[in-house]
Amino acid sequence: MDKIEIETKFSDLEDCLNKADHVLSALEESYDLQKVTTDMTDDLLFAQNRSSILTEIRIAWDYVSQARQLQNSIEKEIL
């Protein structure tokens, strides 16, 4: 693997991590996941949104998995 290919993989790795960070930050903000609630209405809304939350977590996980594969590929080439 030449220098340009390695730089491209590093760029792809950074891109994946940025996308995962964006998805998770948006998820936290959209559903106010830092909020501790004792309100039944908020609890019911959260329960209704759990499918959407799970989908967004799976998207982030896909980006993290892709980043891990890129990292492993880079490590094999460098070491």
Side-chain angles (χ1 to χ4, degrees), residues 11 19 36 67 76:
S11 177
K19 287 177 182 177
V36 177
K76 286 178 185 175

Side-chain angles (χ1 to χ4, degrees), residues 1-29:
M1 185 179 299
D2 65 10
K3 183 178 178 181
I4 293 174
E5 290 174 325
I6 291 174
E7 287 176 357
T8 300
K9 286 194 180 215
F10 271 115
S11 177
D12 292 345
L13 175 63
E14 182 179 22
D15 188 46
C16 286
L17 294 174
N18 286 337
K19 287 177 182 177
D21 181 58
H22 174 75
V23 170
L24 293 172
S25 294
L27 176 71
E28 180 181 5
E29 188 176 310

Side-chain angles (χ1 to χ4, degrees), residues 7-71:
E7 287 176 357
T8 300
K9 286 194 180 215
F10 271 115
S11 177
D12 292 345
L13 175 63
E14 182 179 22
D15 188 46
C16 286
L17 294 174
N18 286 337
K19 287 177 182 177
D21 181 58
H22 174 75
V23 170
L24 293 172
S25 294
L27 176 71
E28 180 181 5
E29 188 176 310
S30 294
Y31 299 105
D32 203 12
L33 297 179
Q34 294 296 325
K35 180 180 175 184
V36 177
T37 180
T38 56
D39 185 287
M40 184 64 136
T41 304
D42 287 342
D43 291 346
L44 290 172
L45 287 172
F46 182 81
Q48 288 176 340
N49 290 322
R50 67 180 173 216
S51 178
S52 297
I53 293 170
L54 181 58
T55 299
E56 292 183 48
I57 289 172
R58 286 180 174 159
I59 291 168
W61 178 250
D62 288 344
Y63 288 130
V64 170
S65 295
Q66 186 178 0
R68 291 172 87 191
Q69 290 173 353
L70 286 164
Q71 178 187 4

